Amino acid sequence: EYIKDIKGATMAGPLKNIYAILFGACDACGIGQNEKGILFKKAISEMSQIIKDQGGDPHTAVSYAGLGDLFATATSINSKNHEIGKELILSGILNLSGEGSISLDGLKIKLGETINKYPVLDVIIKMTADSQSAKNIINDLWK
């Protein structure tokens, strides 16, 4: 499937890397598959809304560039961003060498005040800003 939505695909790339950090953190916290499935659905919905808000086609979030890449990046033990999320929980240190951690500050600037509209993204921002409390932030998702 050829993606014609350049704006959407350009947003989907960094977003899937950022969301993958959360899924690595969830794995390190022992979050179950059902909970991660719910979170995955919420992440895709958020990606769709962000893409739409940035002038792209919201359907790009469920294309190869969105859902396909997010699934591969968020669930693979070989994904750098997934590993960064695990490392954040296990060591309390945010590794700034992955695309997701590098892209997060730029995304915050790009989205500005509208960033508050996206609760899953907000969790990632909170956990990366306060790496010592990241495990509690993740576990609070399920309360």
Side-chain angles (χ1 to χ4, degrees):
E1 171 183 329
Y2 180 73
I3 297 174
K4 297 176 184 174
D5 176 26
I6 302 301
K7 283 185 181 181
T10 301
M11 289 301 300
L15 286 169
K16 58 98 175 166
N17 289 325
I18 291 167
Y19 285 111
I21 294 170
L22 178 60
F23 286 93
C26 285
D27 282 346
C29 289
I31 303 299
Q33 293 297 92
N34 288 338
E35 290 87 353
K36 288 189 294 185
I38 293 166
L39 195 56
F40 196 86
K41 166 42 173 116
K42 289 180 179 183
I44 289 295
S45 293
E46 250 183 48
M47 285 177 70
S48 179
Q49 188 60 52
I50 292 169
I51 289 169
K52 179 181 177 188
D53 291 348
Q54 294 298 309
D57 179 352
H59 293 97
T60 299
V62 294
S63 72
Y64 298 127
L67 183 117
D69 262 356
L70 178 60
F71 180 80
T73 305
T75 63
S76 173
I77 59 170
N78 297 317
S79 161
K80 177 75 171 177
N81 296 295
H82 182 271
E83 286 303 306
I84 286 171
K86 283 177 69 175
E87 183 180 329
L88 178 65
I89 297 299
L90 299 176
S91 72
I93 297 169
L94 177 62
N95 181 336
L96 296 174
S97 69
E99 303 93 336
S101 53
I102 293 169
S103 301
L104 191 54
D105 284 337
L107 183 65
K108 289 190 286 190
I109 292 167
K110 184 167 187 60
L111 297 179
E113 293 297 318
T114 66
I115 207 158
N116 298 324
K117 292 172 39 176
Y118 315 111
V120 179
L121 187 55
D122 189 52
V123 167
I124 299 166
I125 290 167
K126 286 178 182 171
M127 95 180 175
T128 56
D130 183 5
S131 57
Q132 297 303 311
S133 299
K135 188 171 187 173
N136 292 334
I137 293 166
I138 294 293
N139 289 326
D140 285 348
L141 282 170
W142 315 112
K143 290 183 180 178

